Amino acid sequence: MALDYRRFMMVYVALLLLLAATMGSTLLYLGAVKPVINIGIAFIKAGLVAWFFMKLHHATSLTRLFASAGFFWLLILLILGSVNWLAPTNSLS
Amino acid sequence: MPVAEQFRRVEQQREADSLGMWIFLATEVMLFGGLFLAMLVYRILHPAGVREAAGHLQMVLAGINTAVLLTSSLTMAIAATAAERGLRKVALRSLMATAALGLVFLAIKAWEYGLDYHEGLVPGLRMPSPLHEPSAALFLNLYFVSTALHALHLLIGIGLVSSLIFRLLLHRLPLPQHNTTVEVIGLYWHLVDIIWVFLYPVLYLIGR
């Protein structure tokens, strides 16, 4: 019992440190790579919450598949939805 | 614990409960995904408006709120583990902490909305606005809709956790037999947290 709570605490401290890092990187570091850093840190935080807090680390493969499905469909949405504006146009504007 | 007629074993029923909740969470991800897509397109089409509007948001206040939600996920995870082990009192206290932290988030959010309103950031009101870019209002619309939708989901989550608290207080939720109820509500709560973990940088940080 105590071991589980210790792991939760470690994940929690990691989450808070990542939060500090993402806020710090915004205030200190300005550049084109900032969105990549911030979204990347967000993915790591979400991954930690999903793996440890949502107990995916001792879930069946089927459960992990279902969990990944939402993320997979989101990827389709974001990529197909934005590609129209990411592609160069041949208009004169 | 009683097994519903379509299942052969308890473990099968537990897994089905969990899978059902994960599918629902996937639909929630798609709901917010649409809003994230809109934000992505705004960033591509109107980078100046996004940058100007995001600069006026309360980044530090929302950062504190992020920490509040992360803490609530910790207490929720503790509650789910305690429920799994039949520790009713620990589960009860952790669930109360979770609901309380959710309310703290909503209170800070309401305070933040007040600050935004007084700064003139709400689009559509005939108030003097500090914004110059016409497309900044687009971003702010999305900011208010996204955060309000998230707050609504959080409110629902607080309601679900409160229902667990009441059932535990009235001894109507025997643990560990019915721990799946706590677990699936926990999954919903963690997703609300994860959604905010992405909303925060996308709205407050990367636009600056």
Side-chain angles (χ1 to χ4, degrees), chain A residues 1 4 8 12 19 23 26-27 34-35 42 46 53-55 60 62-63 66-67 70 73-74 77 81-82 85-86, chain B residues 15 19 22-23 26 33-34 37 40 43-45 59 63 71 77 80-81 85 187 190 197-198 200 205-206 208:
Chain A
M1 182 207 310
D4 251 353
F8 282 156
Y12 175 61
L19 175 63
M23 289 175 75
T26 308
L27 293 170
K34 183 172 55 175
F53 288 169
M54 292 171 99
K55 307 237 169 76
T60 61
L62 189 61
T63 307
F66 272 55
W73 281 104
L74 177 67
L77 172 70
S82 61
W85 287 279
L86 292 171
Chain B
E15 197 185 4
L19 293 177
W22 276 109
I23 294 202
L37 173 63
L40 178 58
R43 202 178 143 73
I44 296 169
L45 289 181
M59 179 191 136
T71 314
T81 305
R85 303 194 188 183
L187 288 178
H190 293 306
V197 158
F198 282 103
Y200 178 58
L205 301 184
I206 67 179
R208 285 180 172 260

Side-chain angles (χ1 to χ4, degrees), chain B residues 1-161:
Chain B
M1 96 162 265
V3 180
E5 149 185 358
Q6 69 269 32
F7 300 111
R8 232 179 259 152
R9 295 170 293 117
V10 180
E11 298 76 32
Q12 198 185 5
Q13 177 172 292
R14 281 178 192 283
E15 197 185 4
D17 290 343
S18 179
L19 293 177
M21 179 48 85
W22 276 109
I23 294 202
F24 173 66
L25 296 185
T27 68
E28 294 282 81
V29 165
M30 295 311 291
L31 170 65
F32 281 91
L35 293 171
F36 278 109
L37 173 63
M39 269 181 274
L40 178 58
V41 172
Y42 281 172
R43 202 178 143 73
I44 296 169
L45 289 181
H46 308 289
V50 168
R51 192 173 313 119
E52 196 198 2
H56 287 274
L57 294 180
Q58 304 289 333
M59 179 191 136
V60 176
L61 208 52
I64 293 172
N65 248 354
T66 311
V68 167
L69 266 193
L70 290 173
T71 314
S72 76
S73 261
L74 171 70
T75 56
M76 188 73 223
I78 291 174
T81 305
E84 205 177 343
R85 303 194 188 183
L87 303 167
R88 178 179 161 270
K89 284 228 175 73
V90 178
L92 199 51
R93 274 190 240 118
S94 309
L95 288 171
M96 286 176 175
T98 307
L101 286 164
L103 289 171
V104 167
F105 180 97
L106 289 178
I108 296 179
K109 190 77 210 132
W111 176 258
E112 190 190 344
Y113 276 163
L115 294 174
D116 294 332
Y117 170 79
H118 284 292
E119 210 184 322
L121 296 179
V122 182
L125 303 176
R126 274 175 253 115
M127 277 181 74
S129 165
L131 304 161
H132 306 289
E133 290 281 340
S135 54
L138 277 179
F139 175 82
L140 285 169
N141 262 324
L142 205 48
Y143 157 76
F144 281 111
V145 168
S146 313
T147 53
L149 187 64
H150 174 266
L152 176 65
H153 278 76
L154 185 60
L155 191 63
I156 292 170
I158 295 172
L160 289 171
V161 170

